[in-house]
mmCIF file with all atom_site columns, all heavy atoms in Angstrom:
data_model
loop_
_atom_site.group_PDB
_atom_site.id
_atom_site.type_symbol
_atom_site.label_atom_id
_atom_site.label_alt_id
_atom_site.label_comp_id
_atom_site.label_asym_id
_atom_site.label_entity_id
_atom_site.label_seq_id
_atom_site.pdbx_PDB_ins_code
_atom_site.Cartn_x
_atom_site.Cartn_y
_atom_site.Cartn_z
_atom_site.occupancy
_atom_site.B_iso_or_equiv
_atom_site.pdbx_formal_charge
_atom_site.auth_seq_id
_atom_site.auth_comp_id
_atom_site.auth_asym_id
_atom_site.auth_atom_id
_atom_site.pdbx_PDB_model_num
ATOM 1   N N   . THR A 1 331 ? -37.469 253.142 -57.868 1.00 0.00 ? 331 THR A N   1
ATOM 2   C CA  . THR A 1 331 ? -37.949 251.812 -58.265 1.00 0.00 ? 331 THR A CA  1
ATOM 3   C C   . THR A 1 331 ? -38.221 250.891 -57.082 1.00 0.00 ? 331 THR A C   1
ATOM 4   O O   . THR A 1 331 ? -39.044 249.986 -57.174 1.00 0.00 ? 331 THR A O   1
ATOM 5   C CB  . THR A 1 331 ? -36.927 251.120 -59.180 1.00 0.00 ? 331 THR A CB  1
ATOM 6   O OG1 . THR A 1 331 ? -35.700 250.933 -58.457 1.00 0.00 ? 331 THR A OG1 1
ATOM 7   C CG2 . THR A 1 331 ? -36.670 251.938 -60.431 1.00 0.00 ? 331 THR A CG2 1
ATOM 8   N N   . VAL A 1 332 ? -37.497 251.094 -55.991 1.00 0.00 ? 332 VAL A N   1
ATOM 9   C CA  . VAL A 1 332 ? -37.606 250.217 -54.820 1.00 0.00 ? 332 VAL A CA  1
ATOM 10  C C   . VAL A 1 332 ? -37.681 251.073 -53.571 1.00 0.00 ? 332 VAL A C   1
ATOM 11  O O   . VAL A 1 332 ? -36.898 252.013 -53.405 1.00 0.00 ? 332 VAL A O   1
ATOM 12  C CB  . VAL A 1 332 ? -36.398 249.256 -54.723 1.00 0.00 ? 332 VAL A CB  1
ATOM 13  C CG1 . VAL A 1 332 ? -36.441 248.462 -53.428 1.00 0.00 ? 332 VAL A CG1 1
ATOM 14  C CG2 . VAL A 1 332 ? -36.354 248.318 -55.922 1.00 0.00 ? 332 VAL A CG2 1
ATOM 15  N N   . LEU A 1 333 ? -38.622 250.766 -52.702 1.00 0.00 ? 333 LEU A N   1
ATOM 16  C CA  . LEU A 1 333 ? -38.715 251.436 -51.405 1.00 0.00 ? 333 LEU A CA  1
ATOM 17  C C   . LEU A 1 333 ? -39.028 250.403 -50.337 1.00 0.00 ? 333 LEU A C   1
ATOM 18  O O   . LEU A 1 333 ? -40.128 249.859 -50.283 1.00 0.00 ? 333 LEU A O   1
ATOM 19  C CB  . LEU A 1 333 ? -39.795 252.520 -51.422 1.00 0.00 ? 333 LEU A CB  1
ATOM 20  C CG  . LEU A 1 333 ? -40.118 253.192 -50.086 1.00 0.00 ? 333 LEU A CG  1
ATOM 21  C CD1 . LEU A 1 333 ? -38.858 253.728 -49.411 1.00 0.00 ? 333 LEU A CD1 1
ATOM 22  C CD2 . LEU A 1 333 ? -41.138 254.303 -50.273 1.00 0.00 ? 333 LEU A CD2 1
ATOM 23  N N   . ILE A 1 334 ? -38.030 250.116 -49.523 1.00 0.00 ? 334 ILE A N   1
ATOM 24  C CA  . ILE A 1 334 ? -38.201 249.251 -48.359 1.00 0.00 ? 334 ILE A CA  1
ATOM 25  C C   . ILE A 1 334 ? -38.193 250.171 -47.147 1.00 0.00 ? 334 ILE A C   1
ATOM 26  O O   . ILE A 1 334 ? -37.143 250.684 -46.740 1.00 0.00 ? 334 ILE A O   1
ATOM 27  C CB  . ILE A 1 334 ? -37.071 248.206 -48.260 1.00 0.00 ? 334 ILE A CB  1
ATOM 28  C CG1 . ILE A 1 334 ? -37.019 247.368 -49.537 1.00 0.00 ? 334 ILE A CG1 1
ATOM 29  C CG2 . ILE A 1 334 ? -37.275 247.319 -47.038 1.00 0.00 ? 334 ILE A CG2 1
ATOM 30  C CD1 . ILE A 1 334 ? -35.846 246.416 -49.597 1.00 0.00 ? 334 ILE A CD1 1
ATOM 31  N N   . PRO A 1 335 ? -39.361 250.466 -46.578 1.00 0.00 ? 335 PRO A N   1
ATOM 32  C CA  . PRO A 1 335 ? -39.441 251.476 -45.516 1.00 0.00 ? 335 PRO A CA  1
ATOM 33  C C   . PRO A 1 335 ? -38.697 251.057 -44.247 1.00 0.00 ? 335 PRO A C   1
ATOM 34  O O   . PRO A 1 335 ? -38.470 249.863 -43.989 1.00 0.00 ? 335 PRO A O   1
ATOM 35  C CB  . PRO A 1 335 ? -40.945 251.583 -45.241 1.00 0.00 ? 335 PRO A CB  1
ATOM 36  C CG  . PRO A 1 335 ? -41.614 250.957 -46.413 1.00 0.00 ? 335 PRO A CG  1
ATOM 37  C CD  . PRO A 1 335 ? -40.674 249.902 -46.895 1.00 0.00 ? 335 PRO A CD  1
ATOM 38  N N   . ASP A 1 336 ? -38.327 252.043 -43.461 1.00 0.00 ? 336 ASP A N   1
ATOM 39  C CA  . ASP A 1 336 ? -37.816 251.771 -42.120 1.00 0.00 ? 336 ASP A CA  1
ATOM 40  C C   . ASP A 1 336 ? -38.898 251.061 -41.315 1.00 0.00 ? 336 ASP A C   1
ATOM 41  O O   . ASP A 1 336 ? -40.095 251.177 -41.608 1.00 0.00 ? 336 ASP A O   1
ATOM 42  C CB  . ASP A 1 336 ? -37.432 253.085 -41.419 1.00 0.00 ? 336 ASP A CB  1
ATOM 43  C CG  . ASP A 1 336 ? -36.151 253.685 -41.974 1.00 0.00 ? 336 ASP A CG  1
ATOM 44  O OD1 . ASP A 1 336 ? -35.257 252.907 -42.370 1.00 0.00 ? 336 ASP A OD1 1
ATOM 45  O OD2 . ASP A 1 336 ? -36.058 254.918 -42.025 1.00 0.00 ? 336 ASP A OD2 1
ATOM 46  N N   . ASP A 1 337 ? -38.480 250.337 -40.302 1.00 0.00 ? 337 ASP A N   1
ATOM 47  C CA  . ASP A 1 337 ? -39.430 249.622 -39.456 1.00 0.00 ? 337 ASP A CA  1
ATOM 48  C C   . ASP A 1 337 ? -40.500 250.563 -38.913 1.00 0.00 ? 337 ASP A C   1
ATOM 49  O O   . ASP A 1 337 ? -40.192 251.665 -38.427 1.00 0.00 ? 337 ASP A O   1
ATOM 50  C CB  . ASP A 1 337 ? -38.691 248.950 -38.293 1.00 0.00 ? 337 ASP A CB  1
ATOM 51  C CG  . ASP A 1 337 ? -37.751 247.851 -38.764 1.00 0.00 ? 337 ASP A CG  1
ATOM 52  O OD1 . ASP A 1 337 ? -37.929 247.378 -39.901 1.00 0.00 ? 337 ASP A OD1 1
ATOM 53  O OD2 . ASP A 1 337 ? -36.834 247.487 -37.998 1.00 0.00 ? 337 ASP A OD2 1
ATOM 54  N N   . GLY A 1 338 ? -41.744 250.120 -39.036 1.00 0.00 ? 338 GLY A N   1
ATOM 55  C CA  . GLY A 1 338 ? -42.851 250.911 -38.509 1.00 0.00 ? 338 GLY A CA  1
ATOM 56  C C   . GLY A 1 338 ? -43.374 251.968 -39.455 1.00 0.00 ? 338 GLY A C   1
ATOM 57  O O   . GLY A 1 338 ? -44.340 252.662 -39.126 1.00 0.00 ? 338 GLY A O   1
ATOM 58  N N   . LYS A 1 339 ? -42.764 252.100 -40.632 1.00 0.00 ? 339 LYS A N   1
ATOM 59  C CA  . LYS A 1 339 ? -43.207 253.105 -41.596 1.00 0.00 ? 339 LYS A CA  1
ATOM 60  C C   . LYS A 1 339 ? -43.841 252.440 -42.813 1.00 0.00 ? 339 LYS A C   1
ATOM 61  O O   . LYS A 1 339 ? -43.624 251.259 -43.071 1.00 0.00 ? 339 LYS A O   1
ATOM 62  C CB  . LYS A 1 339 ? -42.035 253.986 -42.031 1.00 0.00 ? 339 LYS A CB  1
ATOM 63  C CG  . LYS A 1 339 ? -41.511 254.906 -40.935 1.00 0.00 ? 339 LYS A CG  1
ATOM 64  C CD  . LYS A 1 339 ? -40.481 255.877 -41.484 1.00 0.00 ? 339 LYS A CD  1
ATOM 65  C CE  . LYS A 1 339 ? -40.039 256.857 -40.411 1.00 0.00 ? 339 LYS A CE  1
ATOM 66  N NZ  . LYS A 1 339 ? -39.052 257.841 -40.944 1.00 0.00 ? 339 LYS A NZ  1
ATOM 67  N N   . SER A 1 340 ? -44.621 253.224 -43.545 1.00 0.00 ? 340 SER A N   1
ATOM 68  C CA  . SER A 1 340 ? -45.233 252.744 -44.791 1.00 0.00 ? 340 SER A CA  1
ATOM 69  C C   . SER A 1 340 ? -44.806 253.671 -45.915 1.00 0.00 ? 340 SER A C   1
ATOM 70  O O   . SER A 1 340 ? -44.146 254.699 -45.692 1.00 0.00 ? 340 SER A O   1
ATOM 71  C CB  . SER A 1 340 ? -46.757 252.740 -44.666 1.00 0.00 ? 340 SER A CB  1
ATOM 72  O OG  . SER A 1 340 ? -47.250 254.074 -44.621 1.00 0.00 ? 340 SER A OG  1
ATOM 73  N N   . TRP A 1 341 ? -45.213 253.332 -47.138 1.00 0.00 ? 341 TRP A N   1
ATOM 74  C CA  . TRP A 1 341 ? -44.888 254.194 -48.264 1.00 0.00 ? 341 TRP A CA  1
ATOM 75  C C   . TRP A 1 341 ? -45.476 255.593 -48.097 1.00 0.00 ? 341 TRP A C   1
ATOM 76  O O   . TRP A 1 341 ? -44.895 256.576 -48.560 1.00 0.00 ? 341 TRP A O   1
ATOM 77  C CB  . TRP A 1 341 ? -45.408 253.548 -49.555 1.00 0.00 ? 341 TRP A CB  1
ATOM 78  C CG  . TRP A 1 341 ? -44.662 252.299 -49.933 1.00 0.00 ? 341 TRP A CG  1
ATOM 79  C CD1 . TRP A 1 341 ? -43.362 252.017 -49.667 1.00 0.00 ? 341 TRP A CD1 1
ATOM 80  C CD2 . TRP A 1 341 ? -45.170 251.174 -50.633 1.00 0.00 ? 341 TRP A CD2 1
ATOM 81  N NE1 . TRP A 1 341 ? -43.023 250.774 -50.163 1.00 0.00 ? 341 TRP A NE1 1
ATOM 82  C CE2 . TRP A 1 341 ? -44.115 250.232 -50.765 1.00 0.00 ? 341 TRP A CE2 1
ATOM 83  C CE3 . TRP A 1 341 ? -46.418 250.853 -51.166 1.00 0.00 ? 341 TRP A CE3 1
ATOM 84  C CZ2 . TRP A 1 341 ? -44.274 249.017 -51.410 1.00 0.00 ? 341 TRP A CZ2 1
ATOM 85  C CZ3 . TRP A 1 341 ? -46.565 249.636 -51.814 1.00 0.00 ? 341 TRP A CZ3 1
ATOM 86  C CH2 . TRP A 1 341 ? -45.502 248.735 -51.935 1.00 0.00 ? 341 TRP A CH2 1
ATOM 87  N N   . LYS A 1 342 ? -46.605 255.714 -47.428 1.00 0.00 ? 342 LYS A N   1
ATOM 88  C CA  . LYS A 1 342 ? -47.221 257.035 -47.227 1.00 0.00 ? 342 LYS A CA  1
ATOM 89  C C   . LYS A 1 342 ? -46.333 257.950 -46.399 1.00 0.00 ? 342 LYS A C   1
ATOM 90  O O   . LYS A 1 342 ? -46.356 259.170 -46.567 1.00 0.00 ? 342 LYS A O   1
ATOM 91  C CB  . LYS A 1 342 ? -48.593 256.871 -46.553 1.00 0.00 ? 342 LYS A CB  1
ATOM 92  C CG  . LYS A 1 342 ? -49.624 256.180 -47.431 1.00 0.00 ? 342 LYS A CG  1
ATOM 93  C CD  . LYS A 1 342 ? -50.968 256.053 -46.733 1.00 0.00 ? 342 LYS A CD  1
ATOM 94  C CE  . LYS A 1 342 ? -51.632 257.395 -46.557 1.00 0.00 ? 342 LYS A CE  1
ATOM 95  N NZ  . LYS A 1 342 ? -52.995 257.264 -46.000 1.00 0.00 ? 342 LYS A NZ  1
ATOM 96  N N   . ASP A 1 343 ? -45.526 257.364 -45.520 1.00 0.00 ? 343 ASP A N   1
ATOM 97  C CA  . ASP A 1 343 ? -44.609 258.175 -44.724 1.00 0.00 ? 343 ASP A CA  1
ATOM 98  C C   . ASP A 1 343 ? -43.509 258.804 -45.569 1.00 0.00 ? 343 ASP A C   1
ATOM 99  O O   . ASP A 1 343 ? -42.811 259.716 -45.112 1.00 0.00 ? 343 ASP A O   1
ATOM 100 C CB  . ASP A 1 343 ? -43.977 257.327 -43.618 1.00 0.00 ? 343 ASP A CB  1
ATOM 101 C CG  . ASP A 1 343 ? -44.985 256.860 -42.588 1.00 0.00 ? 343 ASP A CG  1
ATOM 102 O OD1 . ASP A 1 343 ? -45.750 257.721 -42.085 1.00 0.00 ? 343 ASP A OD1 1
ATOM 103 O OD2 . ASP A 1 343 ? -45.028 255.658 -42.291 1.00 0.00 ? 343 ASP A OD2 1
ATOM 104 N N   . TYR A 1 344 ? -43.368 258.318 -46.788 1.00 0.00 ? 344 TYR A N   1
ATOM 105 C CA  . TYR A 1 344 ? -42.362 258.859 -47.709 1.00 0.00 ? 344 TYR A CA  1
ATOM 106 C C   . TYR A 1 344 ? -43.001 259.766 -48.758 1.00 0.00 ? 344 TYR A C   1
ATOM 107 O O   . TYR A 1 344 ? -42.351 260.142 -49.734 1.00 0.00 ? 344 TYR A O   1
ATOM 108 C CB  . TYR A 1 344 ? -41.606 257.720 -48.386 1.00 0.00 ? 344 TYR A CB  1
ATOM 109 C CG  . TYR A 1 344 ? -40.756 256.911 -47.432 1.00 0.00 ? 344 TYR A CG  1
ATOM 110 C CD1 . TYR A 1 344 ? -41.330 255.931 -46.618 1.00 0.00 ? 344 TYR A CD1 1
ATOM 111 C CD2 . TYR A 1 344 ? -39.379 257.126 -47.329 1.00 0.00 ? 344 TYR A CD2 1
ATOM 112 C CE1 . TYR A 1 344 ? -40.560 255.185 -45.740 1.00 0.00 ? 344 TYR A CE1 1
ATOM 113 C CE2 . TYR A 1 344 ? -38.605 256.383 -46.449 1.00 0.00 ? 344 TYR A CE2 1
ATOM 114 C CZ  . TYR A 1 344 ? -39.206 255.416 -45.654 1.00 0.00 ? 344 TYR A CZ  1
ATOM 115 O OH  . TYR A 1 344 ? -38.433 254.674 -44.776 1.00 0.00 ? 344 TYR A OH  1
ATOM 116 N N   . GLY A 1 345 ? -44.276 260.074 -48.575 1.00 0.00 ? 345 GLY A N   1
ATOM 117 C CA  . GLY A 1 345 ? -44.961 260.981 -49.482 1.00 0.00 ? 345 GLY A CA  1
ATOM 118 C C   . GLY A 1 345 ? -45.609 260.318 -50.679 1.00 0.00 ? 345 GLY A C   1
ATOM 119 O O   . GLY A 1 345 ? -46.111 261.003 -51.573 1.00 0.00 ? 345 GLY A O   1
ATOM 120 N N   . LEU A 1 346 ? -45.635 258.987 -50.705 1.00 0.00 ? 346 LEU A N   1
ATOM 121 C CA  . LEU A 1 346 ? -46.227 258.264 -51.825 1.00 0.00 ? 346 LEU A CA  1
ATOM 122 C C   . LEU A 1 346 ? -47.663 257.868 -51.511 1.00 0.00 ? 346 LEU A C   1
ATOM 123 O O   . LEU A 1 346 ? -48.096 257.921 -50.359 1.00 0.00 ? 346 LEU A O   1
ATOM 124 C CB  . LEU A 1 346 ? -45.409 257.007 -52.133 1.00 0.00 ? 346 LEU A CB  1
ATOM 125 C CG  . LEU A 1 346 ? -43.925 257.195 -52.418 1.00 0.00 ? 346 LEU A CG  1
ATOM 126 C CD1 . LEU A 1 346 ? -43.290 255.861 -52.782 1.00 0.00 ? 346 LEU A CD1 1
ATOM 127 C CD2 . LEU A 1 346 ? -43.695 258.222 -53.527 1.00 0.00 ? 346 LEU A CD2 1
ATOM 128 N N   . GLU A 1 347 ? -48.381 257.469 -52.547 1.00 0.00 ? 347 GLU A N   1
ATOM 129 C CA  . GLU A 1 347 ? -49.704 256.924 -52.326 1.00 0.00 ? 347 GLU A CA  1
ATOM 130 C C   . GLU A 1 347 ? -49.586 255.575 -51.618 1.00 0.00 ? 347 GLU A C   1
ATOM 131 O O   . GLU A 1 347 ? -48.519 254.961 -51.595 1.00 0.00 ? 347 GLU A O   1
ATOM 132 C CB  . GLU A 1 347 ? -50.441 256.760 -53.666 1.00 0.00 ? 347 GLU A CB  1
ATOM 133 C CG  . GLU A 1 347 ? -50.704 258.079 -54.370 1.00 0.00 ? 347 GLU A CG  1
ATOM 134 C CD  . GLU A 1 347 ? -51.392 257.891 -55.705 1.00 0.00 ? 347 GLU A CD  1
ATOM 135 O OE1 . GLU A 1 347 ? -52.191 256.937 -55.834 1.00 0.00 ? 347 GLU A OE1 1
ATOM 136 O OE2 . GLU A 1 347 ? -51.140 258.691 -56.627 1.00 0.00 ? 347 GLU A OE2 1
ATOM 137 N N   . GLU A 1 348 ? -50.680 255.122 -51.061 1.00 0.00 ? 348 GLU A N   1
ATOM 138 C CA  . GLU A 1 348 ? -50.654 253.911 -50.245 1.00 0.00 ? 348 GLU A CA  1
ATOM 139 C C   . GLU A 1 348 ? -50.113 252.703 -50.988 1.00 0.00 ? 348 GLU A C   1
ATOM 140 O O   . GLU A 1 348 ? -49.454 251.836 -50.411 1.00 0.00 ? 348 GLU A O   1
ATOM 141 C CB  . GLU A 1 348 ? -52.063 253.609 -49.720 1.00 0.00 ? 348 GLU A CB  1
ATOM 142 C CG  . GLU A 1 348 ? -52.107 252.493 -48.706 1.00 0.00 ? 348 GLU A CG  1
ATOM 143 C CD  . GLU A 1 348 ? -53.476 252.349 -48.081 1.00 0.00 ? 348 GLU A CD  1
ATOM 144 O OE1 . GLU A 1 348 ? -54.372 253.161 -48.409 1.00 0.00 ? 348 GLU A OE1 1
ATOM 145 O OE2 . GLU A 1 348 ? -53.661 251.428 -47.265 1.00 0.00 ? 348 GLU A OE2 1
ATOM 146 N N   . ASP A 1 349 ? -50.367 252.629 -52.319 1.00 0.00 ? 349 ASP A N   1
ATOM 147 C CA  . ASP A 1 349 ? -49.903 251.472 -53.075 1.00 0.00 ? 349 ASP A CA  1
ATOM 148 C C   . ASP A 1 349 ? -48.734 251.779 -54.000 1.00 0.00 ? 349 ASP A C   1
ATOM 149 O O   . ASP A 1 349 ? -48.468 251.039 -54.937 1.00 0.00 ? 349 ASP A O   1
ATOM 150 C CB  . ASP A 1 349 ? -51.043 250.838 -53.870 1.00 0.00 ? 349 ASP A CB  1
ATOM 151 C CG  . ASP A 1 349 ? -51.708 251.822 -54.819 1.00 0.00 ? 349 ASP A CG  1
ATOM 152 O OD1 . ASP A 1 349 ? -51.428 253.031 -54.711 1.00 0.00 ? 349 ASP A OD1 1
ATOM 153 O OD2 . ASP A 1 349 ? -52.492 251.386 -55.675 1.00 0.00 ? 349 ASP A OD2 1
ATOM 154 N N   . GLY A 1 350 ? -48.040 252.901 -53.756 1.00 0.00 ? 350 GLY A N   1
ATOM 155 C CA  . GLY A 1 350 ? -46.759 253.089 -54.424 1.00 0.00 ? 350 GLY A CA  1
ATOM 156 C C   . GLY A 1 350 ? -46.510 254.315 -55.267 1.00 0.00 ? 350 GLY A C   1
ATOM 157 O O   . GLY A 1 350 ? -45.434 254.916 -55.170 1.00 0.00 ? 350 GLY A O   1
ATOM 158 N N   . PRO A 1 351 ? -47.434 254.736 -56.166 1.00 0.00 ? 351 PRO A N   1
ATOM 159 C CA  . PRO A 1 351 ? -47.132 255.884 -57.021 1.00 0.00 ? 351 PRO A CA  1
ATOM 160 C C   . PRO A 1 351 ? -47.023 257.193 -56.238 1.00 0.00 ? 351 PRO A C   1
ATOM 161 O O   . PRO A 1 351 ? -47.388 257.264 -55.056 1.00 0.00 ? 351 PRO A O   1
ATOM 162 C CB  . PRO A 1 351 ? -48.320 255.926 -57.985 1.00 0.00 ? 351 PRO A CB  1
ATOM 163 C CG  . PRO A 1 351 ? -48.928 254.578 -57.916 1.00 0.00 ? 351 PRO A CG  1
ATOM 164 C CD  . PRO A 1 351 ? -48.702 254.096 -56.516 1.00 0.00 ? 351 PRO A CD  1
ATOM 165 N N   . GLY A 1 352 ? -46.545 258.221 -56.913 1.00 0.00 ? 352 GLY A N   1
ATOM 166 C CA  . GLY A 1 352 ? -46.399 259.526 -56.304 1.00 0.00 ? 352 GLY A CA  1
ATOM 167 C C   . GLY A 1 352 ? -45.046 260.125 -56.618 1.00 0.00 ? 352 GLY A C   1
ATOM 168 O O   . GLY A 1 352 ? -44.271 259.598 -57.419 1.00 0.00 ? 352 GLY A O   1
ATOM 169 N N   . LEU A 1 353 ? -44.751 261.237 -55.975 1.00 0.00 ? 353 LEU A N   1
ATOM 170 C CA  . LEU A 1 353 ? -43.466 261.907 -56.129 1.00 0.00 ? 353 LEU A CA  1
ATOM 171 C C   . LEU A 1 353 ? -42.712 261.853 -54.814 1.00 0.00 ? 353 LEU A C   1
ATOM 172 O O   . LEU A 1 353 ? -43.286 262.124 -53.749 1.00 0.00 ? 353 LEU A O   1
ATOM 173 C CB  . LEU A 1 353 ? -43.660 263.361 -56.551 1.00 0.00 ? 353 LEU A CB  1
ATOM 174 C CG  . LEU A 1 353 ? -44.235 263.604 -57.953 1.00 0.00 ? 353 LEU A CG  1
ATOM 175 C CD1 . LEU A 1 353 ? -44.535 265.081 -58.148 1.00 0.00 ? 353 LEU A CD1 1
ATOM 176 C CD2 . LEU A 1 353 ? -43.273 263.110 -59.028 1.00 0.00 ? 353 LEU A CD2 1
#
Side-chain angles (χ1 to χ4, degrees):
T331 62
V332 174
L333 173 53
I334 303 174
D336 286 326
D337 294 341
K339 291 188 176 181
S340 70
W341 291 330
K342 293 181 69 174
D343 294 310
Y344 294 80
L346 304 183
E347 296 178 33
E348 188 172 357
D349 57 349
L353 293 173

